[in-house]
Amino acid sequence: MALTKITVLCVSAFVLLISLLAVTVLPTSPAEAEPGTNLIGAEFDNLTILHIGGGALASQLVDRLEMRGDVVRSSDIPEAVELNPEVVIIFGGEWFEGRVYDTELHDFLRLASSRGANVVMVGGTTSKFFEALDRAGVHEIPVTETGEVRNPAYDNPPLVGLKMKTVGGHTGPSLLFSYTSSPDVLEESLIGWLL
């Protein structure tokens, strides 16, 4: 009998704890978030999508994102653009591949990264994304002791990305990889990574 009462009390306490956790209010905007976090609200009220370079798959993804924020399309790197954690830069793969060694692209990647923008490449040879980040000094591609280059996108997934994220006072890269060419799944992957 006593064991049954203890079991009921433990179950009741567990249910109460789960209930309290379920009603905990999480921040939904960068203003409500802990300083240093890269959080885009669930509503994406202030999200800006900067689509550079076209590309079929990238364009399909951007079309799906139009309902989530303001979309700015550009055939090249824009002269003046505000970059911050609520900006998602989506490079078309074909456009990006031709500019891996371009110092203007490297400068833009450094600026975007330093300001907390989310940078992704869709389609094409996405391993080139990390080559460009490495050349720009934004994210180093590891090289083993034997000299083997370890590009994280060696198998060229259709969607890759990088954002700088602060956790526990330490800032480091958050990488995105999605291995599907379905625009709907790419959208889900990107949104999940942004949150």
Side-chain angles (χ1 to χ4, degrees):
M1 183 78 146
L3 185 57
T4 306
K5 286 183 182 180
I6 292 173
T7 303
V8 168
L9 285 174
C10 287
V11 169
S12 298
F14 180 73
V15 169
L16 177 63
L17 178 63
I18 296 299
S19 299
L20 289 173
L21 289 175
V23 297
T24 301
V25 178
L26 297 174
T28 59
S29 75
E32 296 172 350
E34 185 178 314
T37 59
N38 186 5
L39 175 71
I40 297 175
E43 299 299 318
F44 295 94
D45 290 336
N46 299 316
L47 186 64
T48 299
I49 298 134
L50 174 58
H51 180 201
I52 300 175
L57 189 56
S59 295
Q60 290 174 30
L61 174 59
V62 170
D63 289 346
R64 282 161 176 73
L65 295 170
E66 282 182 326
M67 299 300 288
R68 298 186 181 270
D70 297 325
V71 173
V72 177
R73 297 176 195 266
S74 178
S75 60
D76 208 344
I77 296 171
E79 291 294 321
V81 63
E82 185 177 337
L83 298 170
N84 59 56
E86 292 182 345
V87 173
V88 180
I89 302 163
I90 299 178
F91 289 104
E94 297 80 8
W95 180 92
F96 196 94
E97 285 178 34
R99 291 166 177 79
V100 171
Y101 305 102
D102 185 340
T103 57
E104 181 184 5
L105 174 62
H106 300 163
D107 292 344
F108 184 73
L109 291 170
R110 277 192 294 275
L111 182 64
S113 173
S114 71
R115 294 194 178 163
N118 307 278
V119 185
V120 301
M121 178 180 167
V122 183
T125 310
T126 54
S127 59
K128 298 289 186 186
F129 178 75
F130 288 99
E131 272 187 51
L133 290 172
D134 185 64
R135 290 182 177 285
V138 173
H139 181 72
E140 185 177 338
I141 295 177
V143 179
T144 67
E145 292 175 2
T146 61
E148 181 183 359
V149 176
R150 304 292 296 211
N151 189 319
Y154 69 92
D155 52 354
N156 296 306
L159 171 64
V160 296
L162 174 119
K163 68 179 177 179
M164 299 310 286
K165 187 171 184 174
T166 302
V167 177
H170 300 284
T171 301
S174 172
L175 305 179
L176 169 66
F177 302 94
S178 185
Y179 291 88
T180 180
S181 56
S182 163
D184 293 328
V185 178
L186 291 177
E187 177 189 15
E188 290 174 17
S189 298
L190 179 60
I191 296 303
W193 178 67
L194 293 172
L195 292 176

